[in-house]
Amino acid sequence: MHLAQLPEDVFYHILGYLDYRSLSRFSQVCKTIYSFVNRDIVWRNIAKEFLNTGISGNGTDRYPKIPLKERVSTAQNWSHGVCRKDIPLRWRKNLLPWLQMDGNILFLSQAAEIRAHRVHPEGKRTLGQPFQIFSGHNDDVCRFVLNNSYLISSGSDGLIVVHSRRSRSQTKLPGHSQEINCLDSRDELIISGSRDATVKVWTLTSSSPRGTFSMFDRVWSIAIDPSVSSFAVGTACCRTPSPLHLWNIERLEHVCTLGSNFRRGAGVLDIVFESPFQLLTCGYDTFIRLWDLRLTSRKCVMEWEEPHDSTLYCLQTDGNHMMASGSSYYGVVRLWDKRQSQCLQVYELSAQRASSPVYCLRFNSSHLFAALATSLHSLDFRHSPSSSS
């Protein structure tokens, strides 16, 4: 019997013993084998072991439209630092830009505007010209988030602006008395935090907050958990012993403070929920920390230290093994594999004479974008070093 004539479940079982190199070679045997081996189901278990293939720890798929075999191939470049560097955008004034991605659309804040650019899958130009511009603030945009058909932004003017991406209408909320450093939104909920040391809870349809809470310290970061049952708040850690607090959304009550013995000023600048029970944080104390939020634990279970003692401004995770962090000096982006204690790859994006923090970074299956004070940098992991700029 020809191998391809075996029942499919038996064939799948046999292929499960092959690694990615063997599968790639086996796919070259004939057209029938090639077609069978290229199915996502063959690559799914292998993809879980690689960086940024889109298969998260709970089994969800971030990039369902991209074949898994192609993602595993690109994952080799993420692991080995093989990429093409580019600077698709520059601007003259020093800014504190922020980024979000929605599929092949990159949203970038520049001063009081947020601009939407399409990411080109192929070709020399990484980004197209902005096809949509969101405005409405009287001062610089500090943060913005995407929530289905809405873009919600906060600014130095203390306002929250809810933009409809479909109708282009907007609603302004009189947010805080000082600049709003952070906000997050899921479902109908908006939560904002400000330099005025307060956190406010809103809904998309409300003109006044459901609740206002004093944190007794400047608020730098906020994140709502995926189940929309709790949210985490990161503060400056100047007036309180810990910068990290967990709140219940339904009861609008303080649940607990995470960690202790933080040094003064060890503020949390970015927070990422990987699941309702797993939280990643980074900030002024140069550590990335993974917190277990289950009731019996609620403690830091792993940590990774920035080797040059630099503040970590931002963080993103692929939901599985990979993390990317942005440092305060020389535009340093680091890639981390959670299964290792040391940094996996380092990219220095700004010259020493024009050193800038990485204020925000975002990545998809093939690109990483990093926003610095005067430029946007791109790392394209589909390309070999010979095509690097």
Side-chain angles (χ1 to χ4, degrees):
M1 178 180 288
H2 190 272
L3 191 61
Q5 295 176 315
L6 289 170
E8 286 197 353
D9 56 341
V10 176
F11 201 16
Y12 283 133
H13 184 75
I14 294 171
L15 295 179
Y17 289 96
L18 303 182
D19 61 18
Y20 75 97
R21 290 191 181 90
S22 300
L23 277 176
S24 297
R25 291 168 184 154
F26 186 48
S27 68
Q28 300 174 32
V29 170
C30 66
K31 290 183 179 180
T32 303
I33 298 294
Y34 178 85
S35 176
F36 196 96
V37 171
N38 276 14
R39 297 179 185 180
D40 278 0
I41 191 172
V42 175
W43 291 88
R44 192 169 185 85
N45 286 333
I46 291 176
K48 291 178 182 178
E49 300 303 314
F50 285 87
L51 300 183
N52 196 31
T53 58
I55 306 299
S56 63
N58 59 14
T60 58
D61 192 344
R62 289 187 170 196
Y63 317 119
K65 295 182 180 180
I66 305 173
L68 270 174
K69 181 183 178 183
E70 179 182 329
R71 285 183 261 168
V72 169
S73 177
T74 305
Q76 315 306 311
N77 292 340
W78 285 93
S79 296
H80 298 107
V82 178
C83 66
R84 185 185 70 185
K85 297 181 182 179
D86 188 22
I87 306 177
L89 292 175
R90 298 180 187 266
W91 46 90
R92 294 183 179 181
K93 294 182 179 180
N94 283 356
L95 302 174
L96 277 72
W98 196 252
L99 300 170
Q100 294 290 354
M101 292 194 75
D102 183 11
N104 69 333
I105 301 175
L106 178 74
F107 295 84
L108 167 68
S109 66
Q110 291 180 279
E113 295 181 339
I114 301 167
R115 302 180 180 185
H117 302 261
R118 285 192 173 87
V119 180
H120 295 307
E122 297 292 345
K124 293 183 179 180
R125 292 187 60 191
T126 307
L127 295 182
Q129 293 296 316
F131 68 91
Q132 194 170 2
I133 297 177
F134 301 87
S135 57
H137 286 279
N138 304 316
D139 210 334
D140 288 359
V141 172
C142 295
R143 290 288 188 275
F144 67 92
V145 294
L146 305 174
N147 184 352
N148 297 322
S149 62
Y150 294 97
L151 185 152
I152 303 120
S153 59
S154 65
S156 299
D157 53 9
L159 292 176
I160 296 172
V161 182
V162 180
H163 309 264
S164 172
R165 293 168 59 186
R166 293 175 181 170
S167 66
R168 303 198 180 188
S169 62
Q170 60 179 231
T171 303
K172 294 186 179 182
L173 305 177
H176 294 258
S177 60
Q178 297 184 41
E179 67 183 55
I180 305 175
N181 298 313
C182 54
L183 84 164
D184 197 9
S185 177
R186 285 181 183 268
D187 295 345
E188 295 294 312
L189 197 68
I190 302 173
I191 303 179
S192 58
S194 170
R195 183 181 284 271
D196 66 9
T198 64
V199 167
K200 295 188 178 184
V201 179
W202 315 73
T203 63
L204 286 171
T205 56
S206 67
S207 58
S208 58
R210 283 178 52 197
T212 301
F213 313 100
S214 175
M215 300 302 300
F216 306 103
D217 215 336
R218 289 167 293 173
V219 181
W220 291 137
S221 53
I222 277 176
I224 304 171
D225 86 67
S227 66
V228 198
S229 60
S230 64
F231 65 93
V233 179
T235 67
C237 199
C238 292
R239 299 178 182 176
T240 55
S242 172
L244 195 56
H245 308 267
L246 197 65
W247 288 71
N248 179 275
I249 288 177
E250 183 180 356
R251 300 190 301 271
L252 296 181
E253 292 178 352
H254 184 262
V255 176
C256 67
T257 298
L258 298 174
S260 59
N261 299 321
F262 287 91
R263 68 173 185 263
R264 178 180 170 82
V268 172
L269 294 177
D270 204 3
I271 301 173
V272 177
F273 271 100
E274 285 202 307
S275 75
F277 307 108
Q278 288 183 304
L279 181 70
L280 286 162
T281 62
C282 68
Y284 282 112
D285 69 348
T286 77
F287 280 90
I288 299 172
R289 290 189 170 91
L290 175 63
W291 301 85
D292 185 343
L293 303 183
R294 286 172 291 192
L295 187 62
T296 56
S297 179
R298 285 183 181 160
K299 63 181 180 180
C300 177
V301 291
M302 291 187 71
E303 58 184 30
W304 299 265
E305 185 176 10
E306 212 289 335
H308 291 164
D309 199 32
S310 298
T311 297
L312 294 174
Y313 271 71
C314 54
L315 176 69
Q316 192 183 356
T317 170
D318 69 348
N320 194 18
H321 300 305
M322 192 181 86
M323 302 181 294
S325 63
S327 302
S328 59
Y329 296 118
Y330 309 129
V332 169
V333 170
R334 296 185 186 275
L335 299 186
W336 307 79
D337 187 333
K338 291 181 191 173
R339 297 164 293 187
Q340 303 176 20
S341 59
Q342 301 299 316
C343 167
L344 186 66
Q345 299 293 338
V346 183
Y347 304 94
E348 191 173 302
L349 303 181
S350 69
Q352 293 188 5
R353 292 183 179 180
S355 176
S356 165
V358 177
Y359 290 111
C360 186
L361 58 80
R362 292 289 182 263
F363 60 77
N364 57 20
S365 65
S366 58
H367 287 80
L368 185 147
F369 294 95
L372 279 61
T374 59
S375 55
L376 176 72
H377 293 249
S378 166
L379 302 178
D380 185 347
F381 288 89
R382 297 166 304 174
H383 295 271
S384 63
S386 59
S387 59
S388 300
S389 58

